Amino acid sequence: MKFTKLSALALACACALSCVSCEKNSASENNSSSVVIGENSIGEIVTPEEGAEDYELGEYRVSGRGTKLYFGDDTIPDELMLALENYFLTLQNEDFEGYKNTIYPDYAERYDKYLREQYSGTMEGSDEYTLKNSFDTQCANLKNMLIDILTYESESEQEFTGDYKITRIRAERPVLTEGETEKSRLENFFSYLNEIFGIDYQELVTSDTDNIEFITFFVIVEGEDGNEHKIIDAMDILFVEKDGKYYTFG
């Protein structure tokens, strides 16, 4: 499989991956296939050999589902990384039931109600607009992102479906801008939910959960052309931890 060139930003971010502690155990890429891991676990660190196509992306670990996971920060728990992977796999596989298990239950219930009240009757051929419609839109948006990339790069007039397979996910702690704090970023995220739900939703979530995590993530996929493409570049996502499980907000 060919590996298309990533942008300078991706390579710059990848450089940080090579700066993880040398005290950690690593394995060469040639030995990665010998690591046996469960579906919901992550293997040992793999260091690509110099000269390999993905050498500049740095060290990674392989999940039980075969995704190469890049930890841009040692403080990101394995469980959080797996939750991020699982969330995007439900979008890749168009698995709505699985998707519902990845998002915060109270949010799913409130947001579904909000969508039904605000958008039902606005879609042609559908009386109701629900969380399922929102999920379908997210799935379609990811495919459309890839279609745009493939169409731009293609020298032919081929029509693409946008089908893809997630190959790599990177996560790191967000970089705060000047004057920004973790508190202000959190308040900014919840301001929209506070408004549409008509309550102090940030307070509700904070009191109901054990921990709140902000991360910045990147997603690379293999497209139908057999090449890898970055379809998400440095976007933020919020997770909450409750009873040992991480949930996001769709």
Side-chain angles (χ1 to χ4, degrees):
M1 178 186 68
K2 295 181 179 179
F3 188 81
T4 56
K5 292 182 179 179
L6 301 180
S7 69
L9 174 60
L11 293 178
C13 292
C15 290
L17 294 169
S18 62
C19 298
V20 295
S21 172
C22 60
E23 295 178 357
K24 294 183 179 179
N25 295 325
S26 63
S28 71
E29 187 159 28
N30 290 338
N31 295 329
S32 64
S33 60
S34 64
V35 179
V36 179
I37 55 179
E39 187 177 81
N40 294 316
S41 60
I42 305 177
E44 297 297 321
I45 293 176
V46 175
T47 304
E49 293 182 350
E50 189 171 357
E53 290 179 313
D54 59 352
Y55 174 74
E56 291 184 318
L57 295 179
E59 296 177 326
Y60 60 86
R61 296 166 66 189
V62 181
S63 77
R65 296 180 175 88
T67 309
K68 294 179 179 180
L69 303 177
Y70 295 79
F71 290 72
D73 192 304
D74 289 345
T75 67
I76 296 177
D78 290 2
E79 295 78 11
L80 178 56
M81 198 72 176
L82 287 170
L84 177 64
E85 177 201 28
N86 192 39
Y87 170 72
F88 275 99
L89 285 176
T90 66
L91 298 176
Q92 169 194 287
N93 300 328
E94 300 182 8
D95 176 11
F96 180 60
E97 292 303 316
Y99 165 81
K100 288 193 295 184
N101 289 329
T102 69
I103 58 178
Y104 183 52
D106 183 85
Y107 165 83
E109 181 179 344
R110 290 178 188 271
Y111 194 53
D112 181 72
K113 180 181 179 181
Y114 168 78
L115 293 173
R116 290 175 186 271
E117 293 176 348
Q118 296 296 318
Y119 297 101
S120 290
T122 62
M123 288 185 62
E124 184 176 349
S126 176
D127 293 331
E128 285 192 314
Y129 191 94
T130 68
L131 187 65
K132 176 63 164 59
N133 297 107
S134 175
F135 169 78
D136 290 341
T137 298
Q138 290 185 72
C139 293
N141 285 343
L142 290 174
K143 286 189 172 185
N144 288 333
M145 288 178 190
L146 183 56
I147 289 173
D148 288 343
I149 294 171
L150 294 175
T151 301
Y152 177 78
E153 294 181 352
S154 177
E155 296 179 354
S156 67
E157 295 184 0
Q158 177 182 352
E159 292 189 3
F160 299 98
T161 65
D163 290 338
Y164 63 89
K165 177 183 179 182
I166 295 171
T167 55
R168 308 171 195 263
I169 298 176
R170 170 182 167 82
E172 60 188 34
R173 295 297 180 185
V175 176
L176 299 176
T177 59
E178 185 176 357
E180 185 182 26
T181 65
E182 292 183 2
K183 180 180 179 181
S184 65
R185 176 169 288 203
L186 194 62
E187 290 174 346
N188 184 59
F189 172 85
F190 276 107
S191 62
Y192 171 70
L193 299 182
N194 292 343
E195 179 180 350
I196 67 173
F197 295 156
I199 61 172
D200 187 342
Y201 199 61
Q202 179 177 352
E203 173 59 30
L204 184 152
V205 171
T206 301
S207 62
D208 183 55
T209 60
D210 304 316
N211 190 26
I212 297 179
E213 300 265 14
F214 248 125
I215 54 176
T216 299
F217 66 95
F218 307 73
V219 178
I220 295 175
V221 305
E222 179 183 346
E224 56 206 275
D225 62 346
N227 294 330
E228 288 188 289
H229 305 270
K230 183 175 57 176
I231 61 170
I232 298 180
D233 185 3
M235 292 187 65
D236 290 348
I237 190 170
L238 185 140
F239 281 88
V240 292
E241 181 183 7
K242 182 175 182 179
D243 299 329
K245 181 176 179 180
Y246 286 96
Y247 301 92
T248 189
F249 292 83

